[in-house]
Amino acid sequence: MKILIIEDEPSLREIMTEFLRKERYVVEAVGTLRDALFKLSDYDYDCVLLDIMLPDGSGLTLLKRLQEMGKKENVIIISAKDALEDKVEGLELGADDYLAKPFHLAELNARIRSVIRRKDQGGDSSLRFGNIRVDTRSFEAWVGETKLELNRKEYGILAFCISRPNHLIDKVTLAEAVWGDHMDQVDNFDFLYAQMKNLRRKMNEAGADVEIKASYGFGYKLTEK
């Protein structure tokens, strides 16, 4: 899962980024409203952690822009301002949750998982397609009753694809979701091809009745065999 942190305090931004990366999220972080708008204009995220008080404007402005752009990111407001009117306005503008500073990192992680599970997965931590099941809480995957032994990137690829079955996924979009936004600037995608080759082999050996098909020159699609 891919997270965007919008927080102007460098130390807190760094702590959140380090913690969430250890929790196996792909994390991007910015400190201004301007940089956040650039990121959200160009990339998609599973969850946005939004500070209201930014040096160049209010985070509530960003919520309004997300609505205008038709973006569907889950948003958790994180702010030292815990006044009722800010919380209410943020939720009315489309935020999914509100967490006041200071907070425990474990609670932050629980809130992220909760909003994603509630909004995108109907409350279920498992994603299924064919005889494949991916558990987004334990970061494990199975083909039938056989557990797939996947590395972190292989799991990330499968989780992203199984959340979009039968949809053609651009290889740049897939790489950004698993490795981070800077992947759109690389010269080649050999790193993706290598991980994809291993993942497809493991799925096939375990007897998967679905496969990740390549659309050469564009990307991949998880589809029935």
Side-chain angles (χ1 to χ4, degrees), residues 3-7 16-17 20 27-28 30 45-52 54 62 74-78 99 103 108-109 111-112 115:
I3 307 293
L4 176 63
I5 299 171
I6 306 169
E7 166 60 54
M16 292 168 64
T17 298
L20 291 174
V27 183
E28 303 291 335
V30 296
Y45 299 90
D46 294 293
C47 189
V48 176
L49 306 179
L50 175 62
D51 187 8
I52 289 180
L54 297 169
L62 185 138
N74 298 293
V75 178
I76 300 175
I77 293 174
I78 298 175
L99 185 60
F103 53 83
L108 173 64
N109 189 27
R111 295 289 188 98
I112 293 171
V115 298

Side-chain angles (χ1 to χ4, degrees), residues 97-108:
D97 203 350
Y98 188 103
L99 185 60
K101 300 176 185 177
F103 53 83
H104 293 287
L105 292 172
E107 182 181 4
L108 173 64

